[in-house]
Amino acid sequence: MSEKEPIGVIGVGWVGLVTASCLAELGHEVWARDILADKVESLSRGEVPIHEPGLPELVAKNSARLHFTTDMAPVLEHARLLFVCVDTPPTYSGDADLSRVEAVIAELGDSDEHALVMKSTVPVGTGRSIQRRRDGLGYVSNPEFLQEGSAVPDFMKPDRVVIGADNRSGRFADRMEALYEPLDAPIVRTDVASAEMIKLASNAFLATKISFINEIANVSEELGADVSEVARGMGLDDRIGPRFLRAGVGFGGSCFPKDVQALKQLAGNTGYHFQLLTAVVEVNELQKRRTIGKLQKHLGSLVGKEIALLGVAFKPNTDDIREATSLVLSGRLAGEGANVRVYDPVAATRADEMLAGARISDSALEAVDGADAAVLVTEWPEFADLDWAEVREKMRVPLIVDGRNFLDRQALIEAGFTYEGIGR
Ligand code: UDX
């Protein structure tokens, strides 16, 4: 056995694959198990099924240390620390669906040599409840804070690593610390429930920051201030910080909407009404829809109007469309009677069935051809480099709604566009 601890990863989705390949990069042998045979086969051939910068290279470079399997036996045989990276999607009630976590636990024996390392986001209290039932197993909460599009550097250079364990699992937590030592990041050792809460509270706080600046944007629009300037001036205050103060058409993705909802629900289950988070969600939903009003302001009724949506992914550099604003907008626009065309460099075909009958274009120029308005939904870098004179020529009405305050407003106005940003 090499001196580096062998690792098990259970669930090879986005979090699992990033975790597995980064740990392999740090020199660990990794046994990564997924129940989907097709996925395991293609990963074993070196094919990476998700769009994440740097990940295919990492998988290729460390292929000798990465063992993909559908079988739990080799994972349990070789590894003692079992990183659980399965999905915990919200149910209709708003609680997290833990059935995949439970399925994993059901497959494990009661060997006191193994520990579950919970990477999946779970409700506060999950660790305690699992340990009550399975007191033979070790248990460590080790939440992930990876952002899509920068997951590999986020893993390798984290702001902090959170390791939550109770006394009984202290020895496993020590091994986890050793594992993360090469990353040279601050390590926060806590009890399990606090570690679970750190994850939910961090995401809820960031979502709150976004809804806050979006409301400042909406008020700025009315009062003649420019939210970009306001955010710049606020962000230089060390106590506030400049990040997550970009106003726009609302936050999406697989984490923020889900985690805000989960925390709100958890509070509610204890009889506490988390008022602030209720508002954060509501502001975000309204923000997604406000764009319709901006279009109506210039075009009147949207019946029969041709509207181009630039960007489908919930943010740039990912093909993830979960909770993406584009999905809400295409549905609302169709509801208003508009004809919608969408373009995204990577995510459009993925979203096809969810785009309420929108036509998928092969390029931004094709999407804007003959359009009455274009709405920038996702700030893909290529949109900044569009030939706007050409866009102007192609559009029927030169109206741009810049949903991320991403484009050069002055240049667009000079090129003859009517420009609407968010909060400016
Ligand atoms: C987020 C957290 O950042 C990460 O720590 C956690 O593990 C998972 O959730 P991610 O979902 O990849 O990561 O996206 P992030 O870059 O945080 O953006 C989330 C959403 O907020 C996007 O829709 C983005 O467009 C929006 N956003 C972000 C804003 O509207 N304004 C901002 O200033 C920042």
Side-chain angles (χ1 to χ4, degrees), residues 14 18 22 52-53 146-156:
W14 177 77
V18 172
C22 288
E52 185 60 45
L146 308 172
Q147 298 171 73
E148 291 183 27
S150 60
V152 173
D154 287 348
F155 189 100
M156 292 301 194

Side-chain angles (χ1 to χ4, degrees), residues 105-121:
I105 294 171
E107 282 185 85
L108 304 177
D110 257 330
S111 133
D112 58 7
E113 281 175 29
H114 288 102
L116 287 179
V117 177
M118 192 57 71
K119 278 253 160 239
S120 302
T121 302

Side-chain angles (χ1 to χ4, degrees), residues 14 121 144-149 154 160 199 203 206 210 213-214 242-256 259 314-316 323 325 377 379 404:
W14 177 77
T121 302
E144 55 88 12
F145 301 98
L146 308 172
Q147 298 171 73
E148 291 183 27
D154 287 348
R160 77 311 206 178
K199 164 73 188 202
N203 275 352
L206 292 169
I210 298 170
I213 202 67
N214 281 338
R243 300 184 62 199
F244 285 75
L245 280 183
R246 279 179 288 115
V249 285
F251 59 78
S254 64
C255 283
F256 283 178
D259 291 352
F314 83 96
K315 67 173 195 178
E323 304 277 340
T325 299
V377 187
E379 64 277 34
R404 298 286 177 187

